[in-house]
Amino acid sequence: MRFQTIKFLVVGLLNTIVGYTVYFMCLRFFNFNYIISLIFAHILGVIHSYTWNSKWTFKTGRYTFKNLLKFLGVYVISFFINLIVLYILVNYLRIAPLYSQLFALFITTLISFVGHKYWSFKISKLHNWSEEHVKSE
């Protein structure tokens, strides 16, 4: 589990770099609104995260429709929490969108890890037992 947590953090760091770079580019180079920029960054982040987490961090070894729906569910929740935090920081606390998103990333990273670890990429005890049983024969 400890190594898995480290892998998740590495993927999360890379995902944060990818997502924040897209967010930054959308704001600065394309002059998009911060909410539109968040949508683009989130979509690319979801694709990046699903690919790396399913194949490397949690090693599901397979893409299933059920896992994809669970994964997207975690990211939908994460997205809306990110949107709410970003909106409050920008519109009520008057913090610049670039800095506000950095703060929101801390919250969404925690939500994402817990959701993926215990729901979208959770492998059942029966699955673990069957894999261990097959390997021991």
Side-chain angles (χ1 to χ4, degrees):
M1 175 158 158
R2 186 172 182 214
F3 191 59
Q4 186 180 59
T5 303
I6 292 169
K7 284 181 171 183
F8 183 83
L9 292 173
V10 168
V11 171
L13 178 63
L14 293 174
N15 200 48
T16 300
I17 292 168
V18 167
Y20 195 76
T21 300
V22 170
Y23 181 78
F24 177 84
M25 291 175 64
C26 287
L27 279 175
R28 295 293 184 208
F29 298 121
F30 301 114
N31 294 319
F32 290 163
N33 174 284
Y34 71 93
I35 293 174
I36 300 299
S37 300
L38 177 65
I39 292 169
F40 278 107
H42 206 76
I43 289 169
L44 287 175
V46 167
I47 293 167
H48 177 269
S49 182
Y50 184 73
T51 301
W52 282 99
N53 280 317
S54 66
K55 291 293 185 183
W56 187 56
T57 306
F58 299 105
K59 292 185 181 180
T60 58
R62 63 198 182 287
Y63 291 108
T64 66
F65 187 67
K66 182 179 175 183
N67 283 358
L68 179 60
L69 286 179
K70 286 179 170 185
F71 182 85
L72 291 175
V74 170
Y75 267 106
V76 165
I77 291 167
S78 174
F79 172 78
F80 282 110
I81 290 171
N82 192 153
L83 183 62
I84 291 165
V85 169
L86 192 59
Y87 185 82
I88 290 169
L89 293 174
V90 170
N91 293 306
Y92 291 103
L93 299 178
R94 304 286 183 215
I95 299 172
L98 286 173
Y99 300 121
S100 296
Q101 181 59 13
L102 285 174
F103 178 77
L105 284 172
F106 287 111
I107 297 168
T108 57
T109 299
L110 179 61
I111 292 166
S112 176
F113 176 74
V114 171
H116 293 312
K117 171 81 176 145
Y118 296 105
W119 192 55
S120 63
F121 289 115
K122 182 179 180 185
I123 297 175
S124 70
K125 290 179 182 178
L126 179 61
H127 179 77
N128 281 342
W129 177 85
S130 64
E131 280 191 356
E132 289 173 12
H133 183 69
V134 170
K135 288 178 184 176
S136 68
E137 290 184 352

